[in-house]
Amino acid sequence: MTITLPNSEKEPFSISGFLMSDGPARFILSWVAGFVDTASFIVLFALFTAHVTGNIALAGASAASDEKDTLTHLMMIPIFMVAVAVTSVVARFCRYKNWPVLPVLLTAETIGIGVFLFVASTLSPSLMLDVQEDIIFPIGAAGVVAMAIQNALMKEAITSFTGYFPTTVMTGNTTQLTLDLVLLIIAPVLPLSNKIPSVETQEALARIGRVAPIIAGFFLGAGAAAYTVGTMEFNCLIFPLIAMAILTLASYADYAHKSASVEKA
């Protein structure tokens, strides 16, 4: 008698596959966003690069106090929108040509951070202990473009991840984490009539597993920026640039590996 065992072979481990999985990829992206946003906020007199909410609030505060940086904060909004629009067009073109969207957009962001590093390290030595809009504006604009690409990337390449969780703004992620932590406690006590408590808690745990690395990454990135920007100034942007370069290379390697697997099948 011949016994046939089920095929239990697993996909061989690869560094690129690991880095492009949900947790590590989101962690790296949020670490980059936290680093870039914090470094910019410290050096550029409270200008945000990763999201527009802070710039709108600061523009309102500046206008109320007649400070001269109101226009700079407001101008970051259309720059952000244009960069998102261009990223969306690039993603659509990639889908039209059947190119891999995520690797292309990661490449664009890596280039964007490289440009940000170059512009910031070139102009920031002239930035004195005062608000100099002619210097702050080009540096801030370069950073906003790089982070706008990442904001758009999380939407345009959503099929590369399990669900949508932004990696640049932590308000929604922290809200979701809090709701899921409450759900873990309250579901067994107040179960819904149309859901089994164990199913609710499993769903909550899955969401926590996706959002926790993002919040942790952003926090650690912000801390790393605060620690290094004091001595390196904008040269510290070399660290998020390296992180993005590694992630970009991993995305191409992972895409090539998956494409080869599909062809063999």
Side-chain angles (χ1 to χ4, degrees):
M1 181 176 65
T2 303
I3 300 176
T4 304
L5 296 175
N7 186 7
S8 59
E9 290 184 6
K10 294 182 178 180
E11 189 75 17
F13 174 81
S14 68
I15 295 177
S16 61
F18 171 75
L19 290 177
M20 296 313 300
S21 58
D22 277 348
R26 285 171 165 155
F27 176 87
I28 294 172
L29 286 168
S30 61
W31 184 89
V32 168
F35 194 110
V36 171
D37 212 24
T38 302
S40 304
F41 185 85
I42 293 173
V43 181
L44 298 180
F45 301 95
L47 188 144
F48 292 100
T49 53
H51 62 287
V52 298
T53 307
N55 288 325
I56 294 174
L58 289 171
S62 300
S65 58
D66 292 327
E67 294 182 10
K68 60 183 181 180
D69 59 346
T70 303
L71 182 60
T72 299
H73 285 96
L74 286 176
M75 284 301 297
M76 295 301 115
I77 300 170
I79 291 172
F80 182 92
M81 293 175 66
V82 169
V84 168
V86 172
T87 304
S88 180
V89 172
V90 170
R92 187 176 183 86
F93 183 77
C94 288
R95 287 190 287 268
Y96 174 75
K97 290 288 189 179
N98 200 28
W99 295 345
V101 175
L102 181 58
V104 171
L105 296 188
L106 287 173
T107 301
E109 184 179 348
T110 302
I111 294 172
I113 293 178
V115 171
F116 183 30
L117 170 60
F118 175 77
V119 173
S121 60
T122 301
L123 297 180
S124 60
S126 301
L127 190 62
M128 307 302 292
L129 296 177
D130 192 12
V131 179
Q132 296 171 267
E133 299 305 302
D134 58 328
I135 298 176
I136 291 177
F137 179 81
I139 298 175
V144 165
V145 168
M147 290 296 97
I149 295 172
Q150 182 166 321
N151 274 276
L153 180 153
M154 298 307 299
K155 285 280 191 179
E156 293 292 346
I158 191 172
T159 55
S160 299
F161 303 101
T162 306
Y164 171 69
F165 288 92
T167 56
T168 53
V169 184
M170 294 300 109
T171 305
N173 290 330
T174 306
T175 301
Q176 186 63 60
L177 177 64
T178 304
L179 292 174
D180 286 327
L181 289 173
V182 171
L183 182 59
L184 288 178
I185 300 172
I186 205 170
V189 180
L190 295 174
L192 296 177
S193 58
N194 61 340
K195 272 206 172 183
I196 303 173
S198 60
V199 174
E200 280 194 285
T201 55
Q202 288 173 5
E203 292 173 349
L205 284 171
R207 287 191 297 268
I208 290 172
R210 292 195 294 267
V211 76
I214 299 175
I215 297 175
F218 196 94
F219 176 80
L220 292 173
Y227 181 78
T228 57
V229 76
T231 55
M232 298 181 67
E233 296 185 346
F234 269 127
N235 290 323
C236 68
L237 292 174
I238 189 65
F239 298 119
L241 178 60
I242 292 172
M244 282 304 306
I246 292 172
L247 192 63
T248 300
L249 291 174
S251 69
Y252 281 106
D254 186 56
Y255 174 77
H257 175 72
K258 289 178 179 177
S259 298
S261 299
V262 171
E263 290 178 1
K264 287 180 181 179

